[in-house]
Structure formats: C-alpha cells, structure tokens
Amino acid sequence: MALAQTGPYEIISADSRQLVRHLDIGTAKPSPADRAAVPHHLIDLIELGERYSAFRFIGDASRVIGEIRRRGNLPLIVGGTGLYLRALTDGVVEIEPGDMQVRLQLEAEMDSLGVEVMHERLKQVDPLEASKIHPNNRVRLLRALEIFTLTGKSKSEWHATGSHRKADCTFQYHCLNPERELLYQRINLRVEEMLRSGWFAEVERLAKAGMTDQIRRAAIIGYGQLLDVLEGKSGLEESTSTIKQETRRYAKRQVTWFSRQAGCLYYATVQELSEALVGG
C-alpha cells in the first residue's frame, strides 16, 4: 500500500483465496479504506464453491492489466499464489472445463481412500506429474487426476502438446523474503489479530448460512480449524496453534516456490523493495 501510493499504481490480487466472496478476515483482504485509497482488482470475484483456474486468471488479469495501462497507470500484481503468477508470466495449457461430477467423485474417493492411494493412482497414469506433486497437495493431485479422467491424456502430455496461453506483457518479479524468525513472528501476530477482528464470527455466519461443506472443500488455512472449534471437535487455543503452524508451513513452501523462479529479485524489507521500484 505504501509503495502503491508513491506513483500511478493499481493493485491486482494474485491470491486465490481473496477471489472468494464472504471469506474476508481469514484471507486478509484489503480493508475498505485501502481499496478507497488505491484501486484493487480481482478480489471478491467468485462464490464459495465456484471453480476458478489459472487459465481463467490469465484472462482476467490480462483484461485488467490492459484497462490499467489505458488509464496511464501501472499494475502491481501482488499475492502468494505462485501458480497463478507463473501461469500469467510463463503460460499454461488450455484444457476445457469438465463435468463437476468428475471432480466431486474424485474428492469423495480421496476422502475415503486417502491421499496416498490417490497419489499412487496418479503415478500409474502420469508418473512425471506425480513426481512433482507432494502427496499432501490435494489441489494439484485432484487436478492432475481430473485432467486424465476428463481427457484420457495426462497433464504431462497436455503440457507437451496442448495449446498455450499467457499474458502478452513483460514482467518483473520482486519477492519480499524477510528473515525467517521475523517472518514467523509476523505470521503468529497476524493470526491473533485476525481472531481479534472477528474471524471466528465470520466462520460462524458462514456455517449458519449452510456453507460448511464448501468451506471444508476450499481447504483454506484457518477456516477448517475454526469450524472444528464451532463443532466442538477442538478448542480455540489448540486450533489457533494449528493455524499458526500451518501458515508458517505454507510460507515456507512459498519461499521454496519463488526460489525457483528465474529472475526473481529478493528484498528483506518493504523499504528495500520500495526503494528498488521507485528508483527503477
């Protein structure tokens, strides 16, 4: 936000969780005051339970980038969903949307058989993709199995032969990567602040609105743990500790992901990043 107010910037969210309406506090969406101060895009775009793909993100982000540039402004694409960012800058294979029943069936099988069994299934049909996916990464595992089920071709085959789509722009990657202990302290404090700001009440409202199943399937850190508290399966203190731990693990995976991004520039502080961009 501080950087965006130093020049003609508009912010595009590349956070898959902030796309979803109703999930506000636990996804750390920008406040109404922030959105009034700097234009934000691709927030509150879909309903809870609605599917959204990296391929669709390329189209939505490209459209907004064009609108921002026509206004004479510059887009800051901000967020931690590395898959969306890589799709935008490097491209992604186009695969037609499939029957939702296929996804629901695969989700049901994963729930009953477990991720290890499903990972072994993927090894049989797409060993190359299976080698890239951790068995606990449900989203990528389900998507790879879904692609094979829908098309009869593995995801690896599609990448080798399918049509490709990416944004027609040149991008610069800038990554904030503070010292690990400081990062973890900030994560812990942020979780506590979210809870003070009414995160549990937000989950309670969604549950009363009949969205429990959608929340579970979305698998967004914190929401499932707070549902457990609401349903008496866990205490708030225990769930808070789990949320902090899972968020720290997620941050560690993000660091690993972006460390493999060619041309990514790293900064320990926001001030360093701001000086680099303002100077450049």
Side-chain angles (χ1 to χ4, degrees), residues 3-4 8-13 39 41 61-62 64-78 88 169-172 174 277:
L3 172 63
Y9 292 112
E10 297 185 32
I11 293 173
I12 300 174
S13 172
H41 307 275
S62 296
V64 174
I65 288 170
E67 293 169 356
I68 292 171
R69 296 176 77 181
R70 284 191 290 274
R71 287 192 286 270
N73 296 334
L74 293 171
L76 286 175
I77 306 170
V78 181
L88 185 66
C169 301
T170 300
F171 296 89
Q172 291 181 349
H174 300 273
L277 289 186

Side-chain angles (χ1 to χ4, degrees), residues 238-256:
E238 177 187 356
S239 287
T240 300
S241 177
T242 301
I243 293 168
K244 291 177 179 178
Q245 182 183 59
E246 290 300 315
T247 307
R248 292 193 301 267
R249 287 174 176 170
Y250 184 71
K252 186 176 180 180
R253 292 195 297 272
Q254 285 179 312
V255 170
T256 300

Side-chain angles (χ1 to χ4, degrees), residues 39-102:
H40 285 70
H41 307 275
L42 303 192
I43 293 173
D44 293 331
L45 203 63
I46 61 174
E47 292 296 334
L48 185 59
E50 183 180 345
R51 295 187 63 185
Y52 193 90
S53 66
F55 185 80
R56 181 177 167 186
F57 177 78
I58 296 172
D60 287 337
S62 296
R63 171 181 52 79
V64 174
I65 288 170
E67 293 169 356
I68 292 171
R69 296 176 77 181
R70 284 191 290 274
R71 287 192 286 270
N73 296 334
L74 293 171
L76 286 175
I77 306 170
V78 181
T81 303
L83 177 62
Y84 285 6
L85 292 169
R86 185 169 295 174
L88 185 66
T89 58
D90 298 345
V92 70
V93 173
E94 179 179 7
I95 298 171
E96 289 297 321
D99 185 349
M100 190 61 183
Q101 286 303 123
V102 171

Side-chain angles (χ1 to χ4, degrees), residues 134-148:
H134 190 281
N136 290 334
N137 193 326
R138 288 174 55 100
V139 174
R140 290 186 63 193
L141 180 56
L142 280 168
R143 181 56 177 158
L145 287 167
E146 181 183 31
I147 288 170
F148 181 79

Side-chain angles (χ1 to χ4, degrees), residues 198-210 215 226-227 230:
W199 190 6
F200 185 74
E202 177 178 279
V203 173
E204 192 172 28
R205 285 195 303 273
L206 294 170
K208 288 181 178 178
I215 293 173
L226 293 180
L227 274 180
L230 188 62

Side-chain angles (χ1 to χ4, degrees), residues 15 17-18 23-30 78-80 181-200 220-223 226 240-241 243-251 254:
D15 187 322
R17 290 146 175 78
Q18 292 187 356
L23 307 183
D24 299 330
I25 297 173
T27 62
K29 285 179 185 172
V78 181
E181 183 176 351
L182 175 61
L183 174 62
Y184 286 177
Q185 288 175 358
R186 290 174 62 181
I187 286 171
N188 292 341
L189 290 172
R190 191 179 79 154
V191 170
E192 293 169 7
E193 177 58 30
M194 287 174 169
L195 289 166
R196 284 193 295 269
S197 298
W199 190 6
F200 185 74
I220 296 174
I221 294 172
Y223 283 89
L226 293 180
T240 300
S241 177
I243 293 168
K244 291 177 179 178
Q245 182 183 59
E246 290 300 315
T247 307
R248 292 193 301 267
R249 287 174 176 170
Y250 184 71
Q254 285 179 312

